[in-house]
Amino acid sequence: MVQPVPAKPKKTDPAVVTPWNNLGRQLAHTLDEDELTNCMRCGFCLPACPTYRETGLEAASPRGRIALMKAAVDGWMTPDESFRNQMNFCLGCRACETACPADVRFGRLLEQSRAAIAEHAPITRYEKTMRHLFFQGLFPHRSRLRLVGALLALYQKSGLRWLVHRTGLARLLPPHLRQMDRVLPTASMQGVVERIGTHVPAHGKKRGRVGLLRGCIMDVAFADTNVNTARLLSAAGYEVVIPRSQTCCGALHAHSGEERQAHRLAKENIRTFREAGVDWVASNAGGCGAQLVEYSHLLQNEPKLAEDARWFAAHTRDISQLLAEGNPLPLRSVPKRVTYQHSCHLKNGMKVSQEPESLIRSIPDLTYMPLNKGEHCCGSAGIYNLTHPETSMHILDEKMNDVKETTADILVTTNPGCLLQMKLGIERSGLASHMQAVHLVDLLTESMEKGDDPHNQKEK
Amino acid sequence: MLNSEIKAQLVSVLGDAHVRDDVESRITHSYDATPLYQSMPDGVVFPSTTQEVQDVLRIASKHHIPIVGRGSGSNLSADTVPVAGGLVMVMTRMNQILEIDKENLTATVQPGVYTQTLHEAVEKEGLFYPPDPSSMKISTLGGNIAECSGGLRGLKYGTTKDYVLGLEAVLANGQVLRTGGKLYKDVAGYDLTKLLIGSEGTLAIITEATLKLIPLPESRRALVAHYHDLDAAARTVSAIISDRILPCTLEFMDRKTIQVVEDYARIGLPKEMEAILLVEQDGPLEVVERDMERIRHIAETTGATHVEVARTEADGAQVMAARRNALSALARLRPTLILEDATVPRSRIADMVREINRIADEYNLQICTFGHAGDGNLHPTFLTDARDTEEIERVEKAFADIFEAAIRFGGTITGEHGVGLAKAPFLEWKVGAAGITVMKGIKHAFDPQGILNPGKIFTDQPRLRKENM
């Protein structure tokens, strides 16, 4: 009947100290053994996994990656270059978590693996420098991000971008980056706080006090969306506060194995929003929201902060949830065909999938066009489209085939990374003349402010 | 690792990318969905044509290399665990539906097609392929045929073996064997088609199958019945059948399963119930409505405390939600879940469930039982932890007792998962010494070297029955 697992292959001689051996030891120490055991290897995650669908290889599936982690922990193998590649090849979309009957938190296992890899696996000096530059030098620093934003805006507005594309200089870039440059929104020097201050009062029946996470990329590339978010919340009856001292949510850090940095940012945000005395913390980016709800897990071993972290995670909401529960928005006619592409982290991380769709459907005169495989990742996946351009673009092109089928005028998503990727997809598939990608918040704002008044009354 | 000469031969047939013997590939093909089993192969091959399968098998038989066919690795009897090492042959590149023949009502498929992909393709044409294993989203048709998969619709529609009309398969020596065809009647010699179905990869590698399709039922309705008393539920099952109604699904859940499902899904199941039955009927609307009414009446008169009929197909999905949530609910309770499939004649279900509960108490284990009441195919499900060796020993003992009880009630050790490694020690209990001798003879006729899935079905260490100890 049940036979014992065959004898393990001999472990590598621990006297030999290599970075890879150290990585194996670290994995054995930090990987959550319960999560590894919870995987019953049923394989239900396979069809949900973009990299498995892409390659057909078990090793590129969640079940396979867990088997590799477990093998490293149990001493069946010393992790090596292929182990690192396999962990980096994962998009981190967490569709496997939604498909998993046993509720294995693959995202956490992946982050634990990547943290160990970041700490121990050999790495080139260039890579080290770049990681340091982005994760410690840029994302956590608003002023520097804004400077980059300013330089980008200067490049975009001064005619330099036009020149680069005209003179063929752009051809020095790989094609997908060239297209990306064409669709990048105009960066902004002014974030949401600079435009509307740190406090927006509620309209109508008061629903509570909301602290808005402005995000790092969001506030440079999509500051308008942040402003619209605050206005929508206010219209739905929420008092909005946007604390100045908040920082980046740490999602990109956590996904890339920069664990300590992710911890530090989490602590700062918890402190900031606790002090702001809010009922809810609101996020308008699926990727950020999914990180915010992980704060309780992230800081579970911090005695002083654990309780605040639990409060924070339990009171984090996506903007669509708050709008769905708030006062009805005064929406007006938008006679367009609209489809919705899920943000993986919103759907699989925050478990929010109904609300955005219901909000879109609540707009008068709008025709909702369901997107086949809308729950499949678009391939943006944080910085995946920079680290794995080929796979990312292949996944995107597949996605665009389904998007084309919808014949929609507007493609809605709920995360800045996805939004850029969708803009890129529209550009790549030649749909730019009759389709645009927008954030859910911007569509709702358009309906509220600029929509056709069904009663022909011009709003002041 | 493969020896370099053999690897070179395989690469010359399949190309570099489709022969792998690196650690990563070997580890990720050392298991299937069966808990507690793992064993490393020497290499993994990914053929894409029947010709390539033939070439690989010729190389394997020349060098006596074990070959384990594999689809998605969703098997539950460790049939795709390479216990003797050798090559795992992954069939997922052969994933085309070659033809849907609307004149003969057949589908011709390659072995790597997902069961659900076929469902979707034929249902678009108004046709129906009934076998529906719970893993159909990922399980491959080749795997379904190798294991003779069942599913929820077995009572009315039968299982995989009732829908395979013809096969193309490659023998251990590389020869191609073709059986049956687009034929509902074919008695030319032994029925090799049926013989290969459920042969668990020990006789040949299936490379193509011709499947029988039927018209898609036009409507579907569901009802749920609650019971304070196990025997009342069993009486309902018997009365439905003896009243000559064959529902397309007739599912059962015991009290422990109900509690676990309710805690997880909160769909309003009564936790004080001993059992619930979920019944679904499909077919022409008037027949379905008449049957559902009769079943409701039968359930009420045989002792159901509450019966709820879904008014629409969508409501039916709600009613069946409990069954759909069963696996997820059970899987979240303890780290390791061992799903068994001891099967008894329909009339002995209540006896069997009671016996399972007695065995659970005797060994102090958590066993939840749900399954296909209509065909007696029960799933006693052990909730345990692979790391707790002492508990696993008790699980083993309980297994043996459950198989013994199933056979005592005129049942079998496996209804739809296969014998594989997990149940090989118990096979003789079911088929007897003569059965084993004949089966081994068949194995030898197909695979004299014993390279196809060695170590499965048969064992050198059969278990003694308690009464013979």
Side-chain angles (χ1 to χ4, degrees):
Chain A
M1 157 74 246
V2 180
Q3 41 147 249
V5 170
K8 289 174 192 174
K10 262 188 126 129
K11 290 201 185 190
T12 40
D13 182 1
V16 187
V17 178
T18 70
W20 296 114
N21 280 346
N22 288 340
L23 169 57
R25 263 197 289 277
Q26 174 79 5
L27 289 168
H29 181 62
T30 55
L31 272 175
D32 186 331
E33 199 201 333
D34 288 337
E35 290 289 350
L36 290 176
T37 312
N38 281 339
C39 169
M40 36 179 206
R41 305 190 299 214
C42 65
F44 285 22
C45 53
L46 270 62
C49 175
T51 54
Y52 178 75
R53 288 196 301 262
E54 200 66 11
T55 62
L57 292 174
E58 176 79 18
S61 78
R63 177 174 71 174
R65 290 185 179 108
I66 288 177
L68 293 172
M69 292 174 196
K70 207 167 177 319
V73 168
D74 293 345
W76 283 54
M77 70 182 272
T78 304
D80 54 9
E81 194 64 53
S82 75
F83 179 90
R84 169 166 56 190
N85 291 344
Q86 208 47 270
M87 296 308 145
N88 287 339
F89 186 46
C90 168
L91 290 110
C93 73
R94 294 167 64 188
C96 50
E97 292 188 26
T98 299
C100 178
D103 197 28
V104 174
R105 306 295 176 85
F106 182 79
R108 290 178 186 175
L109 289 170
L110 183 73
E111 285 181 8
Q112 288 159 358
S113 298
R114 286 182 177 173
I117 288 168
E119 191 170 345
H120 290 289
I123 163 175
T124 63
R125 180 164 304 184
Y126 168 76
E127 200 183 337
K128 214 177 191 139
T129 311
M130 291 307 278
R131 288 182 76 97
H132 191 86
L133 179 72
F134 276 97
F135 290 123
Q136 275 139 53
L138 186 59
F139 291 129
H141 302 284
R142 264 188 70 71
S143 53
R144 296 181 198 172
L145 258 180
R146 293 261 293 292
L147 180 67
V148 171
L151 291 173
L152 191 62
L154 187 69
Y155 158 77
Q156 290 168 328
K157 289 178 178 166
S158 64
L160 190 59
R161 168 164 30 181
W162 177 83
L163 205 66
V164 162
H165 283 271
R166 281 295 298 213
T167 55
L169 256 178
R171 259 172 265 158
L172 294 174
L173 290 170
H176 80 282
L177 284 182
R178 204 158 60 224
Q179 289 159 332
M180 189 56 113
D181 183 46
R182 267 207 295 274
V183 301
L184 265 183
T186 307
S188 122
M189 289 287 303
Q190 301 260 306
V192 60
V193 171
E194 290 72 26
R195 296 192 204 184
I196 58 171
T198 56
H199 185 264
V200 184
H203 274 283
K205 182 180 163 207
K206 201 168 168 203
R207 295 284 185 159
R209 186 174 151 98
V210 172
L212 177 62
L213 183 93
R214 64 186 167 194
C216 44
I217 308 284
M218 265 321 272
D219 215 35
V220 169
F222 299 105
D224 293 349
T225 308
N226 275 349
V227 171
N228 290 339
T229 303
R231 288 193 180 138
L232 284 173
L233 283 169
S234 153
Y238 299 96
E239 177 194 4
V240 184
V241 284
I242 314 170
R244 274 182 203 277
S245 54
Q246 63 175 291
T247 181
C248 163
C249 68
L252 289 174
H253 303 79
H255 306 331
S256 310
E258 301 289 332
E259 213 174 7
R260 282 196 198 90
Q261 194 73 2
H263 276 221
R264 203 177 60 71
L265 298 169
K267 285 179 197 169
E268 274 182 50
N269 279 330
I270 291 170
R271 202 171 303 120
T272 295
F273 284 95
R274 264 319 229 172
E275 280 166 10
V278 294
D279 304 316
W280 314 107
V281 178
S283 144
N284 60 9
C288 304
Q291 180 65 14
L292 301 181
V293 299
E294 282 291 289
Y295 279 6
S296 55
H297 170 74
L298 216 56
L299 302 176
Q300 60 187 357
N301 299 326
E302 303 256 350
K304 281 194 195 122
L305 265 178
E307 194 174 328
D308 276 346
R310 271 199 299 277
W311 176 91
F312 188 100
H315 291 81
T316 293
R317 293 287 181 276
D318 181 64
I319 164 94
S320 64
Q321 293 173 292
L322 292 169
L323 295 179
E325 287 165 15
N327 303 335
L329 295 168
L331 298 175
R332 306 193 310 176
S333 167
V334 177
K336 295 259 175 72
R337 285 184 308 232
V338 179
T339 190
Y340 176 61
Q341 158 66 25
H342 287 277
S343 141
C344 292
H345 283 137
L346 185 62
K347 183 174 189 301
N348 306 315
M350 288 188 85
K351 310 286 181 207
V352 174
S353 57
Q354 296 301 320
E355 291 87 343
E357 195 183 311
S358 328
L359 285 166
I360 296 170
R361 285 176 182 274
S362 69
I363 296 174
D365 302 328
L366 177 147
T367 315
Y368 186 80
M369 314 295 282
L371 173 60
N372 185 30
K373 298 182 195 147
E375 77 285 1
H376 281 192
C377 181
C378 65
S380 163
I383 51 171
Y384 194 87
N385 50 12
L386 301 176
T387 56
H388 296 76
E390 209 172 307
T391 308
S392 171
M393 289 306 112
H394 189 247
I395 290 173
L396 175 60
D397 294 343
E398 297 263 290
K399 168 68 61 191
M400 293 317 291
N401 290 337
D402 289 314
V403 168
K404 246 185 216 159
E405 299 253 301
T406 67
T407 67
D409 312 307
I410 297 176
L411 170 59
V412 173
T413 182
T414 48
N415 186 57
C418 313
L419 189 52
L420 284 176
Q421 181 88 340
M422 291 288 99
K423 286 174 185 279
L424 179 62
I426 288 172
E427 176 76 20
R428 281 171 74 85
S429 53
L431 296 170
S433 59
H434 53 275
M435 190 188 286
Q436 52 168 338
V438 303
H439 193 291
L440 171 67
V441 162
D442 298 332
L443 175 69
L444 291 169
T445 303
E446 183 189 345
S447 163
M448 195 166 77
E449 292 178 353
K450 304 191 189 80
D452 302 333
D453 187 339
H455 309 294
N456 292 326
Q457 294 170 345
K458 281 270 176 297
E459 207 188 24
K460 295 282 177 300
Chain B
M1 297 285 283
L2 291 168
N3 107 18
S4 55
E5 178 204 349
I6 294 170
K7 188 175 177 182
Q9 289 178 19
L10 291 167
V11 168
S12 72
V13 170
L14 299 171
D16 214 12
H18 304 303
V19 180
R20 291 169 184 252
D21 63 345
D22 53 288
V23 174
E24 175 184 281
S25 301
R26 289 164 56 223
I27 280 177
T28 51
H29 293 85
S30 63
Y31 53 80
D32 57 19
T34 321
L36 312 170
Y37 289 91
Q38 189 162 14
S39 174
M40 291 277 263
D42 298 302
V44 188
V45 290
F46 300 83
S48 64
T49 62
T50 302
Q51 183 61 57
E52 287 179 355
V53 174
Q54 288 181 265
D55 293 343
V56 171
L57 282 171
R58 283 197 193 101
I59 295 167
S61 58
K62 187 172 148 199
H63 298 281
H64 297 273
I65 304 167
I67 294 277
V68 182
R70 188 179 195 268
S72 290
S74 60
N75 177 279
L76 289 169
S77 55
D79 245 325
T80 35
V81 176
V83 266
L87 290 174
V88 171
M89 189 185 270
V90 180
M91 306 303 287
T92 48
R93 286 177 73 211
M94 297 177 70
N95 61 357
Q96 297 304 303
I97 297 175
L98 301 170
E99 184 195 38
I100 293 174
D101 179 343
K102 287 191 237 176
E103 267 185 48
N104 289 305
L105 293 192
T106 59
T108 306
V109 298
Q110 291 188 311
V113 175
Y114 291 148
T115 317
Q116 186 160 317
T117 306
L118 179 70
H119 284 179
E120 287 164 5
V122 302
E123 285 171 28
K124 255 191 221 148
E125 308 288 345
L127 296 167
F128 191 38
Y129 178 73
D132 60 341
S134 295
S135 55
M136 65 194 181
K137 229 179 160 164
I138 43 154
S139 64
T140 59
L141 290 163
N144 289 180
I145 294 166
E147 301 296 329
C148 190
S149 303
L152 273 67
R153 301 193 280 231
L155 162 68
K156 182 175 179 177
Y157 291 107
T159 62
T160 302
K161 69 178 184 303
D162 303 297
Y163 293 88
V164 182
L165 299 172
L167 290 171
E168 175 190 87
V170 180
L171 299 172
N173 64 8
Q175 262 186 308
V176 173
L177 172 73
R178 287 194 177 78
T179 74
K182 293 181 180 177
L183 305 162
Y184 282 40
K185 292 179 175 173
D186 175 10
V187 292
Y190 295 146
D191 190 343
L192 296 179
T193 311
K194 282 277 196 291
L195 188 56
L196 289 178
I197 300 166
S199 63
E200 305 186 21
T202 61
L203 301 183
I205 300 283
I206 292 159
T207 49
E208 193 179 293
T210 302
L211 305 173
K212 175 174 137 181
L213 305 174
I214 58 178
L216 183 66
E218 57 196 67
S219 70
R220 181 182 296 276
R221 283 280 184 285
L223 71 74
V224 60
H226 300 164
Y227 296 86
H228 275 308
D229 163 20
L230 200 59
D231 289 296
R235 277 200 303 274
T236 301
V237 173
S238 303
I240 292 171
I241 312 283
S242 59
D243 208 17
R244 293 179 303 284
I245 305 172
L246 275 187
C248 69
T249 56
L250 182 39
E251 291 289 304
F252 162 90
M253 277 186 183
D254 76 345
R255 187 162 53 95
K256 291 178 186 167
T257 312
I258 295 168
Q259 288 172 346
V260 172
V261 169
E262 183 53 27
D263 285 343
Y264 160 63
R266 308 230 175 270
I267 44 185
L269 295 176
K271 286 165 81 170
E272 69 285 358
M273 289 293 152
E274 273 307 314
I276 60 176
L277 289 178
L278 298 147
V279 193
E280 209 173 13
Q281 181 59 305
D282 61 4
L285 188 60
E286 58 276 21
V287 176
V288 169
E289 286 189 335
R290 191 193 62 204
D291 279 356
M292 285 325 261
E293 196 42 47
R294 283 164 66 199
I295 293 169
R296 188 180 62 79
H297 178 73
I298 290 169
E300 282 168 353
T301 51
T302 43
T305 51
H306 170 74
V307 184
E308 189 181 330
V309 184
R311 304 204 172 284
T312 64
E313 228 163 287
D315 288 353
Q318 282 300 108
V319 165
M320 296 305 274
R323 176 62 179 86
R324 272 202 320 278
N325 279 307
L327 182 68
S328 293
L330 295 168
R332 281 158 207 243
L333 233 50
R334 296 282 308 278
T336 307
L337 171 140
I338 305 178
L339 185 81
E340 270 310 331
D341 68 330
T343 300
V344 293
R346 218 172 2 238
S347 57
R348 305 306 298 271
I349 282 179
D351 297 334
M352 188 66 196
V353 172
R354 257 193 297 272
E355 185 62 12
I356 291 168
N357 289 338
R358 188 196 63 72
I359 291 167
D361 290 343
E362 181 184 342
Y363 293 103
N364 188 23
L365 294 166
Q366 197 172 9
I367 310 178
C368 300
T369 306
F370 66 98
H372 320 301
D375 52 28
N377 178 208
L378 291 173
H379 291 303
T381 302
F382 291 67
L383 307 181
T384 176
D385 187 333
R387 293 166 293 187
D388 184 342
T389 45
E390 185 275 328
E391 185 168 307
I392 293 292
E393 270 175 39
R394 281 184 280 129
V395 166
E396 262 194 78
K397 289 185 178 129
F399 265 138
D401 288 4
I402 285 176
F403 296 146
E404 187 137 24
I407 288 172
R408 201 168 57 240
F409 292 134
T412 181
I413 55 175
T414 171
E416 55 185 8
H417 296 170
V419 175
L421 287 176
K423 278 172 262 193
F426 306 97
L427 179 63
E428 197 169 331
W429 296 8
K430 172 69 183 82
V431 303
I436 295 276
T437 307
V438 171
M439 287 186 188
K440 282 189 171 166
I442 292 169
K443 166 73 177 168
H444 189 77
F446 273 82
D447 177 21
Q449 287 181 314
I451 59 167
L452 288 172
N453 212 2
K456 311 295 165 60
I457 302 183
F458 308 108
T459 176
D460 305 332
Q461 300 151 318
R463 284 282 281 266
L464 283 173
R465 293 182 67 159
K466 270 187 178 168
E467 58 199 51
N468 302 332
M469 280 182 185

